[in-house]
Amino acid sequence: AQKVTQAQTEISVVEKEDVTLDCVYETRDTTYYLFWYKQPPSGELVFLIRRNSFDEQNEISGRYSWNFQKSTSSFNFTITASQVVDSAVYFCALSEAQVTNSGYALNFGKGTSLLVTP
Amino acid sequence: DAGITQSPRHKVTETGTPVTLRCHQTENHRYMYWYRQDPGHGLRLIHYSYGVKDTDKGEVSDGYSVSRSKTEDFLLTLESATSSQTSVYFCAISVGLIQETQYFGPGTRLLVL
């Protein structure tokens, strides 16, 4: 069963619009971590944020904000006043409590491709 | 920059040939991972390592083997490459108080003809 669902495959917005990328996760663990990564056209994976399951505080970093709601198992990502440089594929990921030696291996969603046009 | 390099960055090979991809880190991280990225699948875990000579399988390990004889190097081997192994391969290391956050290398693009 897919543990992380990113239902939006592609989103296209015009520069300066706000955009929200959805992420729904599934886990039975009480301790887990949620992540967002950015993959620009150059291909590298850039870590954006980590959230643990005990911290439901929303976070803001510049134009980026994240809304974590355990009640709906969602960890949504909003970009305010989008810019062309925000064009990328964004991945949401989940890691669950370590029960083997695997550390915190990540379960990724399939990604949302965001295109911001001038 | 988590000090992770991957080599080669690009490779074209033929079906049936062995291929080895290398992941090198400079900061003595205990955990290392290999993922593959394919359209429509996101990233999927192939193998991981929790120390020198300590490795285990991930979700999509068939057709792959790994080795870690030194802390800094984690090798991924395709014993006999197949076209279904055409993919982008990412190496990652874990950081953080309980090793919960992963940083990724630049990736290796592999084409199997």
Side-chain angles (χ1 to χ4, degrees):
Chain A
Q2 190 174 352
K3 295 192 174 187
V4 178
T5 301
Q6 295 181 253
Q8 304 150 309
T9 305
E10 295 180 353
I11 301 175
S12 183
V13 299
V14 177
E15 207 169 20
K16 298 184 183 177
E17 286 184 7
D18 298 347
V19 57
T20 295
L21 309 182
D22 297 332
C23 174
V24 174
Y25 63 92
E26 177 184 333
T27 181
R28 294 182 180 179
D29 286 353
T30 55
T31 301
Y32 53 90
Y33 293 85
L34 294 163
F35 302 82
W36 278 94
Y37 288 86
K38 175 182 180 180
Q39 187 174 43
S42 52
E44 71 271 25
L45 282 159
V46 179
F47 166 78
L48 295 179
I49 190 171
R50 177 195 70 245
R51 224 356 147 225
N52 73 52
S53 53
F54 299 110
D55 183 2
E56 284 194 75
Q57 258 191 333
N58 291 331
E59 181 150 342
I60 298 174
S61 176
R63 296 183 297 106
Y64 294 173
S65 62
W66 291 270
N67 181 271
F68 175 30
Q69 291 194 339
K70 289 176 74 171
S71 60
T72 56
S73 297
S74 64
F75 186 44
N76 296 337
F77 173 28
T78 297
I79 302 174
T80 302
S82 60
Q83 300 177 2
V84 172
V85 292
D86 296 326
S87 296
V89 179
Y90 291 87
F91 291 98
C92 181
L94 164 74
S95 68
E96 295 161 304
Q98 182 178 7
V99 294
T100 64
N101 287 310
S102 67
Y104 286 87
L106 294 173
N107 289 285
F108 281 86
K110 295 183 179 181
T112 296
S113 178
L114 174 65
L115 177 63
V116 182
T117 56
Chain B
D1 183 0
I4 310 168
T5 58
Q6 293 184 230
S7 59
R9 294 292 314 280
H10 302 270
K11 186 169 183 67
V12 180
T13 191
E14 294 187 348
T15 298
T17 60
V19 176
T20 295
L21 309 182
R22 179 186 185 227
C23 178
H24 179 78
Q25 53 129 336
T26 58
E27 299 181 3
N28 217 32
H29 297 292
R30 178 184 175 195
Y31 286 92
M32 298 183 76
Y33 306 82
W34 278 107
Y35 292 85
R36 61 177 288 174
Q37 181 181 15
D38 305 290
H41 288 279
L43 281 84
R44 294 177 291 175
L45 181 66
I46 306 171
H47 279 280
Y48 62 92
S49 170
Y50 48 96
V52 173
K53 297 186 180 179
D54 292 324
T55 65
D56 208 343
K57 298 178 179 180
E59 177 189 357
V60 291
S61 60
D62 287 349
Y64 301 95
S65 62
V66 290
S67 65
R68 193 167 178 201
S69 58
K70 300 184 291 184
T71 298
E72 58 266 35
D73 289 326
F74 191 31
L75 304 181
L76 177 71
T77 298
L78 292 64
E79 301 290 349
S80 178
T82 67
S83 58
S84 64
Q85 294 176 310
T86 292
S87 187
V88 181
Y89 292 86
F90 286 97
C91 174
I93 54 90
S94 284
V95 301
L97 200 60
I98 52 174
Q99 308 292 301
E100 77 286 352
T101 301
Q102 291 186 25
Y103 287 91
F104 288 82
T108 293
R109 191 173 294 271
L110 176 67
L111 174 61
V112 183
L113 299 174

